[in-house]
Amino acid sequence: MSISAAFFAQAQDVSVIRNTVEAYSSTPMIGTAKFNAMAGSNGALGGDANSLLTNPAGLGVAISGEVSGTLSISGNKNSSSMAGSTLNYSKTRGDLGNAGGIIAFPLMSETGWKFINIGINFSNQSLDNVIQSPGNSNIIYDFDIADPTKGASMAGHSYERYGNLSKMSFGVGANYNHNLYIGAGLNFFNATIDQYDTLGYRNLMNNSVELFSKQDTPYSERSSGFSASVGVIGKLSPNFRLGASLETPTFWSIDRNYNFYNDPNYGDDIGAENRKFTSPLKATVSAAFVASKNFSLNVDYTLGLTKPDYKVYGSAERELNDFFKDNYKNLSEVRVGAEYRVKQFRLRGGYAYQSSPFDALTISRFNDAGVAGDQSYSNLMLSDRNTASLGIGYDFKSFYVDASYQNITSKYSNPFMRGYMGDNFDTSYYSAKNIAQSDSYAVSDVKSTRNNFFLTVGWKF
């Protein structure tokens, strides 16, 4: 299926689509070092506040209180290649990744209800992502056909995103006869995004580089949203458990400030707008095997049941919705995690796979020789993602310390540079002196690698 020219002409930028999926349609999954070491797989195990990230029924599994805090150190590296050249960008950042607690209330009654537990969990992750693509001297742009001294080659491009995504959850879980657990939670989201889209052209005569910003960029978004979740866990036997949970769409309110250029009335200035966005409804099914107190294994499968949807205020939101309706695949993820205990020591490992969010897409792009033509991509803008993790821990009875490591990789094709003026829209690139337009994209190949480290300190009471 091809991307219509009208869509990308009026949808502002590729970054809008990427952020819709990565920032506003995903759920923060940064938990404790234990949770992260098991690749976020705990939907049928539960027992701590991180249950609010997967299945709130897991709150009911706890039989004692607990609080913990987690330091996260995130390392992000992008390698972007095109026309035989590669640019690398890397950044390491430390932050509070997770904090949470659970209070267990034993019920002194003769009914089968054993505990009512209350949990709170805060999850926080960086949205920083910089993709710096090299230039291609074969892609030539004539700013003035009559003046050859103003010809320039494409010198490079950068998508820069800086920000955070956080999720604060409150929930309650109940334990019926140590065989059935139910729970519910409320989730409150906050996101900050500062996005840049910068294109460079190198003058063919003097090699000077001129930088251009895409129309309506840079932009800043400050957003908030909320969702609710419900879940259940049941024991089929002392060793086997099944779980299921449902999280409503996240209902976002997005406030944006953006730079615009060459407006017939205002010239170059700053605009503001508000958007309403609804993320996909998500369902998770889980299974766990608890061989003994020394070994446990959990598998989670999460599926998006609906598609991203913007409230329509005009043509831009309408065409965004049309794009997601035609090209978005319901996102799915499988997570597997295990824990083995040797006295007070804990050994953990996990793996997760998330599918690509888009069908194959066909666009007009420049090849390495600078010739424009149609090309189909199975991984345009985003692709599938693999996560491998491991961790260790030590239990001091009342206190515990856990550490873990995650490696997250993905490869995708990164389109940029396309933009032009139409009858009712303008997506060109602007510098202080010139305007750059293109009917076709340049495309770089990106390998993304994230190396994350986590350290958790907790107290049981």
Side-chain angles (χ1 to χ4, degrees), residues 75-79 88-91 130 447-451:
N76 180 20
K77 179 181 179 180
N78 286 327
S79 296
N88 295 316
Y89 174 88
S90 60
K91 181 179 181 180
V130 176
K447 179 181 179 181
S448 174
T449 304
R450 294 180 180 268
N451 293 298

Side-chain angles (χ1 to χ4, degrees), residues 52-74:
L52 289 164
L53 295 173
T54 54
N55 185 348
L59 296 175
V61 177
I63 58 175
S64 63
E66 177 182 337
V67 293
S68 68
T70 300
L71 171 68
S72 68
I73 301 175
S74 303

Side-chain angles (χ1 to χ4, degrees), residues 270-282:
I270 297 176
E273 64 182 12
N274 174 269
R275 278 178 170 169
K276 305 296 183 185
F277 173 71
T278 303
S279 74
L281 170 72
K282 302 180 184 72

